[in-house]
Amino acid sequence: MGASSAAALSLLDAGPARSAEPVPGTGPVFVNTWSDSFSCVTTAAREMHSGGSLMDAVEKAINTIEDDPAIQSVGYGGLPNADGVVELDAAIMNGTNRRAGSVCNLHEIKHPISVARKIMEKTHHTTLAGEGALQFALEMGFERTQLLTPQSLEAWMKWKSDPHRHTYWLSGAEPKRSPNHDTVGLLGYDGRGHVAAGCSTSGLAFKIPGRVADSPIVGCGLYADDNAGAASATGDGDVMTNYCTSFFIVMLMAQGHSAQEACELCLHHMAQGDPKSKEIQAAVIAIDKHGRVGAAAMRADSHFQYGVWRDGSSSLHVAKSLY
């Protein structure tokens, strides 16, 4: 066992961690994954200041990232699956009533996070997928949209024409991995003890059709509980799903660990379970029930940045890397 894994276990054995320093101010706090999505923390704050709810803020802010064709791992313009079809996944969760909605393999609808919220608010279900999800979205008034942009189509055609292209089939060797598996994860705290989480992605570029990873799975891509806080994950979802990363982090905060300690312990736990996990792209963010923030990345070369909005301004940070 490495020194870092031993340190993680000693923290778990030690019980509740020391309380983090109080957060300046008492207003809302938002935290998001990746610099490409940095603007969404400010959008979320503006939505709340204009009278929207915490859930409105999370949904509407993620909508702006889903609308941006330049971000090829989320929403409109997302890179397609191996058949050239853009498949979207998303989830949203309210930490007050622990209700969540999620959608998997959604085609032709630009705002999967909004469909996920409709599932949460209009049905007894949590998750809809594929054709059923599309039909539900159409019944809710969403319009069909061609999600494949010329840029994404060009990228798919280039991949398809390469005889040495990476795939996700096992053939006696480790599968080659696409560099494109980023999500937009957004966590919110309303300044009064309530938290929420949202996550949206087009998943791995050129994935096997029908593939679902951590992003839309409650407890994996996101989790929110007012009694402890909220968390979201980004990176290699095929690996991260197996560790229920977001639920794990929130439960560590419920035990008394700070948001930062919980993020680090989660990644140490993954690395201890399988040392190969140290080689993947994996990053997590968290916010506790007082609005204190944590973030960590598995590898330094992932250059994982996260945005924070609090006290009237936003700032971009580089997450602590563990390996």
Side-chain angles (χ1 to χ4, degrees):
M1 181 186 300
S4 56
S5 295
L9 288 177
S10 66
L11 270 175
L12 284 170
D13 293 339
R18 297 189 308 274
S19 297
E21 290 299 316
V23 174
T26 57
V29 180
F30 294 95
V31 56
N32 78 285
T33 56
W34 299 109
S35 58
D36 286 349
S37 305
F38 178 46
S39 63
C40 73
V41 290
T42 301
T43 304
R46 288 175 179 166
E47 180 67 26
M48 281 205 73
H49 282 300
S50 68
S53 68
L54 184 61
M55 295 296 289
D56 293 336
V58 170
E59 177 193 358
K60 300 304 182 184
I62 289 178
N63 283 161
T64 64
I65 307 304
E66 292 172 332
D67 283 336
D68 189 346
I71 300 176
Q72 291 187 304
S73 57
V74 178
Y76 175 63
L79 293 175
N81 65 20
D83 289 343
V85 177
V86 179
E87 291 183 320
L88 302 181
D89 302 322
I92 191 167
M93 186 168 186
N94 185 334
T96 301
N97 59 13
R98 287 77 171 174
R99 277 285 287 152
S102 76
V103 62
C104 309
N105 300 141
L106 182 64
H107 299 178
E108 301 181 87
I109 302 295
K110 186 185 283 190
H111 294 145
I113 191 74
S114 298
V115 179
R117 186 176 179 185
K118 289 292 187 184
I119 293 169
M120 179 183 72
E121 294 181 343
K122 300 292 186 180
T123 80
H124 289 290
H125 300 319
T126 297
T127 305
L128 293 178
E131 183 62 26
L134 173 59
Q135 291 306 314
F136 172 82
L138 295 174
E139 287 181 24
M140 291 294 104
F142 292 88
E143 296 183 357
R144 291 179 184 264
T145 301
Q146 172 55 263
L147 300 175
L148 193 65
T149 61
Q151 293 79 12
S152 294
L153 175 60
E154 181 182 3
W156 175 76
M157 293 177 67
K158 181 178 180 180
W159 171 82
K160 192 74 172 176
S161 64
D162 182 358
H164 304 292
R165 62 183 178 270
H166 65 265
T167 72
Y168 299 98
W169 294 95
L170 294 173
S171 56
E174 286 296 311
K176 295 180 179 179
R177 305 298 256 177
S178 164
N180 178 277
H181 44 71
D182 301 336
T183 64
V184 53
L186 177 64
L187 310 177
Y189 165 75
D190 71 350
R192 299 184 297 275
H194 303 304
V195 294
C199 189
S200 185
T201 186
S202 55
L204 282 169
F206 321 129
K207 60 193 174 184
I208 297 172
R211 177 258 192 184
V212 176
D214 63 327
S215 295
I217 299 177
V218 178
C220 296
L222 82 175
Y223 198 74
D225 184 334
D226 281 0
N227 288 333
S232 185
T234 181
D236 191 332
D238 291 305
V239 175
M240 300 180 78
T241 299
N242 300 328
Y243 293 89
C244 298
T245 51
S246 295
F247 180 77
F248 189 83
I249 289 168
V250 172
M251 290 302 100
L252 284 171
M253 291 191 291
Q255 291 177 3
H257 293 285
S258 72
Q260 183 61 39
E261 287 173 339
C263 288
E264 294 179 31
L265 284 168
C266 177
L267 298 185
H268 281 309
H269 175 68
M270 291 176 61
Q272 181 195 9
D274 181 1
K276 290 183 179 179
S277 296
K278 296 179 184 179
E279 302 171 9
I280 70 167
Q281 179 177 295
V284 290
I285 57 174
I287 190 167
D288 73 10
K289 62 183 179 180
H290 303 294
R292 294 174 292 221
V293 169
M298 190 73 81
R299 295 185 356 225
D301 61 2
S302 68
H303 306 295
F304 176 59
Q305 294 180 300
Y306 64 101
V308 176
W309 191 99
R310 72 164 86 249
D311 296 334
S313 64
S314 58
S315 54
L316 192 61
H317 305 264
V318 177
K320 179 179 179 180
S321 299
L322 304 186
Y323 301 100

